[in-house]
Amino acid sequence: LPLGPVAATPHGRALFFVAPGAAAELPALLYRMGWDDAGLDLRCLGPGEYVTAPPSDLGGLGPMRWLRPPTLD
């Protein structure tokens, strides 16, 4: 799978940006990778939801930054 952009929050969370509809494939992908019973704190966002994009300040808590910036690919 091609790797998309990844952002980091001031709290240490990683935000993985994927193509629309990819969240539906996530459980099967994690199962194939052996992560079927892992206690991951995953949350998918959809229409009407948003994230603070780098390089922005997250409500005075610190900067959002790119771990892997978006590309034209």
Side-chain angles (χ1 to χ4, degrees), residues 61-73:
L61 300 173
M64 294 287 294
R65 61 189 175 89
W66 289 115
L67 296 177
R68 180 179 169 82
T71 65
L72 294 176
D73 297 336

Side-chain angles (χ1 to χ4, degrees), residues 35 37-41:
W35 290 47
D37 58 353
L40 300 175
D41 180 17

Side-chain angles (χ1 to χ4, degrees), residues 21-50:
E25 300 175 26
L26 187 59
L29 176 62
L30 292 174
Y31 180 79
R32 286 194 306 269
M33 294 175 61
W35 290 47
D36 55 322
D37 58 353
L40 300 175
D41 180 17
L42 299 176
R43 188 169 72 119
C44 300
L45 302 178
E49 299 182 280
Y50 68 92

Side-chain angles (χ1 to χ4, degrees), residues 7-9 15 17 45 50-59 62-66:
T9 72
L15 308 177
F17 293 82
L45 302 178
Y50 68 92
V51 296
T52 302
S56 301
D57 182 69
L58 184 62
M64 294 287 294
R65 61 189 175 89
W66 289 115

